[in-house]
Amino acid sequence: MANVTATEPSPSRSFWAGIGQGRHVIGIVFMLPAAVFLLFFLTYPLGLGVWLGFTDTRIGRAGEFIGLENYQSLMGDSLFWLVVFNTILYTVAASILKFGLGLWLALLLNENMPFKAFFRAVVLLPWVVPTVLSAIAFWWIFDSQYSIISWALIKMELISAPINFLGDVANARASVIAANVWRGIPFVAISLLAGLQTISPSLHEAATLDGATNWQRFRYITLPMLSPIIAVVMTFSVLFTFTDFQLIYVLTRGGPLNSTHLMATLSFQRAIPGGSLGEGAAIAVAMIPFLLGAILFSYFGLQRRKWQQGGAD
Amino acid sequence: MATVDIRGVKKAYGATAVIHGVDVSIRDGEFVVLVGPSGCGKSTLLRMIAGLENITGGQILIGNRVINEMPPKERDIAMVFQNYALYPHMTVGANMGFSLKLRKAPQAEIESRVQRAAEILNLTKLLDRYPRQLSGGQRQRVAMGRAIVRDPQVFLFDEPLSNLDAQLRVQMRTEIKELHQRLKTTTVYVTHDQIEAMTMADKIVVMHDGIVEQIGAPLDLYDKPANQFVAGFIGSPSMNFVKGKVRLGADPRLVTDSGVEMPLPAAPGLTDGRAVVYGLRPEHIRLDPQGVPATVVVTEPTGSEILVVARLGSAGQKGQEITCLFRERLSFAPGEVIHIAPQPGLTHLFDEATGNRL
């Protein structure tokens, strides 16, 4: 913080000159557009959503405050609890896979190889393609009759009949998770790759001379030095996955038997097609504790470790 | 402890050869400094000894074992890096004991060896700190501690002092030399700083463009540089080189293009009119009323001595600039004409075409 005390403006100075001089006033003026923007497009919708959750608003009819009634009914709603389970399963499974595969890919891309830049660009593709488009592609890949996977497996004589990817509870869950992992890997891989590149090669050389095997270098050098970035990346990844909507909505709309229904899709379904804005809002608000949990996890994970801190005795 | 033999070692990256056959033999317990300007291949040579670079041709032997194909950890060497390469997420103690931990040494042994190294290097109070919390000199010592703990056959230093400020560099120079006198481990030390080389080495290897220019004891290199490159590289301020032609006779002289004449030492193979380079160290020039005239350009007094840059020849004569170092308190004005003469027996002659000593 600059502790600059502004010189006392002489009384003869005009009002505008005073504003020009005062660091605080001019600072606030410059912040105003951003503040207004945030207030209207972030704070207001969030507040409105929380408020709607406490009302019985329906589409086309203003609701009344009904306290926790929406939440009480959700407590007894077995579909809601199934959806919570689905969301957690989806998030945990997809995040673990994204982390494992993303880290692996990052390590591969960090090696010296020909066409390095080309491969790094290719890895980003799943992330560049709009989600809805890639979801439609997956819809075809997972088609019960024309699936290219089923076709290939049948040609290889590994299976005799097409796999019912999206029609069976377990298959559908695995399929949407696979699609989400495919889409999420680039983010994890490229972020971790950036982290890997900040590790000085001389540390690896020093460890090699100290007698470390490849695995030991990964275990004792790469992983600990990457941990701050892993914490950030995985927090974001968990947040994105937990609130996922597009993939599910295009691929399964929550089916079969609601086995792939997530909190975001259920919230939308109840609020817009179902018309119960209040209840939909309550489901959306119910996601907040989970997301806060993820953020707290990252907050503690992100805390500067002792070794990252500087000088002071 | 071991000998190190470098026999006809070559290094090439693809078609680009960077080291063209280097032979150095290092005795057990010797402190050898590889010195040369940037890009001369000295670090590459060191990294080949360490096993961080492949050896394109020739052999390197440590203690009579050829180590060309041996992985680094079996070579029994320890290296101190220019940027120290301390593991930032480990304490000083853990950094120093890391190699023992990887070797699965018992905890008690690790602790005692780290403790002993810490005592040698005065690091006992810092064992629980992280590298970030240390000053440059302390980090440098931790890096050395990591090497000492391993008790290797050979220490390798890769420009270990170049990240320190000038004062600390002088201090650490002494510490490293002391450490070597105490441990007597064979040491290969790379630097581009000829002062470091002169002050620390038992033997200096001067490299230039991937070849060895000269190997010898520091004072031998100073007194009898094998060629013009070594002559110019060793010694500070650098040796003056005056180009000219030989004029034999009763009083042999070197005549420069601008007509200045310098006394010529007797050397074999001098023929009348031969083009030679006359080498004269600044500290071997004295004032002499019968000497060669030179016009003062700049003076740089340091207190203990004075550096005078002068142009050979009297005012108006466009001679070559040479640097003189005088220990006396003198003061000259720019443009003043002084008379200088080389100290007899302390001049050098090089062939102009090959640069070799005559």
Side-chain angles (χ1 to χ4, degrees), chain B residues 110-175:
Chain B
I110 298 181
E111 270 168 33
S112 76
R113 283 172 77 165
V114 167
Q115 195 63 38
R116 211 172 54 224
E119 277 163 22
I120 294 176
L121 291 165
N122 219 352
L123 288 169
T124 325
K125 284 184 189 142
L126 305 175
L127 284 179
D128 293 325
R129 300 269 189 93
Y130 285 91
R132 285 234 167 174
Q133 298 164 300
L134 304 180
S135 67
Q138 289 168 334
R139 285 182 211 179
Q140 177 59 54
R141 283 213 290 274
V142 176
M144 293 201 299
R146 198 164 63 178
I148 294 174
V149 164
R150 297 188 49 191
D151 192 19
Q153 304 239 40
V154 182
F155 280 137
L156 306 176
F157 289 87
D158 188 5
E159 309 213 10
L161 305 185
S162 44
N163 285 7
L164 300 177
D165 62 58
Q167 209 173 355
L168 206 50
R169 204 177 300 167
V170 175
Q171 189 190 328
M172 291 306 295
R173 206 162 75 192
T174 319
E175 277 190 37

Side-chain angles (χ1 to χ4, degrees), chain B residues 240-242 258 260 262 280 282 285-287 292-300 306-315 317-326 332-341:
Chain B
N240 296 298
F241 294 113
V242 180
S258 53
V260 178
M262 309 274 284
L280 189 53
I285 296 174
R286 60 190 164 82
L287 291 169
V292 184
T295 316
V296 174
V297 180
V298 172
T299 61
E300 295 175 350
I306 181 168
L307 214 57
V308 178
V309 179
R311 202 179 284 284
L312 281 177
S314 41
Q317 222 175 340
K318 278 280 169 203
Q320 196 181 331
E321 270 187 11
I322 69 166
T323 310
C324 320
L325 186 84
F326 302 116
F332 300 119
E336 194 177 334
V337 174
I338 55 174
H339 288 82
I340 54 171

Side-chain angles (χ1 to χ4, degrees), chain A residues 202 205 209-210 220 307 313, chain B residues 47 83 87-89 129 150:
Chain A
S202 63
E205 287 175 350
L209 295 184
D210 273 344
Y220 293 113
W307 57 266
D313 277 302
Chain B
R47 290 167 61 84
N83 61 359
Y87 311 122
H89 55 292
R129 300 269 189 93
R150 297 188 49 191

Side-chain angles (χ1 to χ4, degrees), chain B residues 8-60:
Chain B
V9 165
K10 292 181 180 163
K11 175 72 187 175
Y13 296 101
T16 324
V18 291
I19 293 182
H20 318 273
V22 165
D23 292 275
V24 183
S25 124
I26 298 167
R27 286 197 316 273
D28 187 12
E30 204 168 20
F31 195 117
V32 169
V33 175
L34 305 179
V35 67
S38 309
C40 71
K42 55 192 191 301
S43 281
T44 311
L45 186 59
L46 190 80
R47 290 167 61 84
M48 287 198 282
I49 301 174
L52 298 172
E53 299 275 356
N54 290 324
I55 299 164
T56 313
Q59 283 186 327
I60 296 181

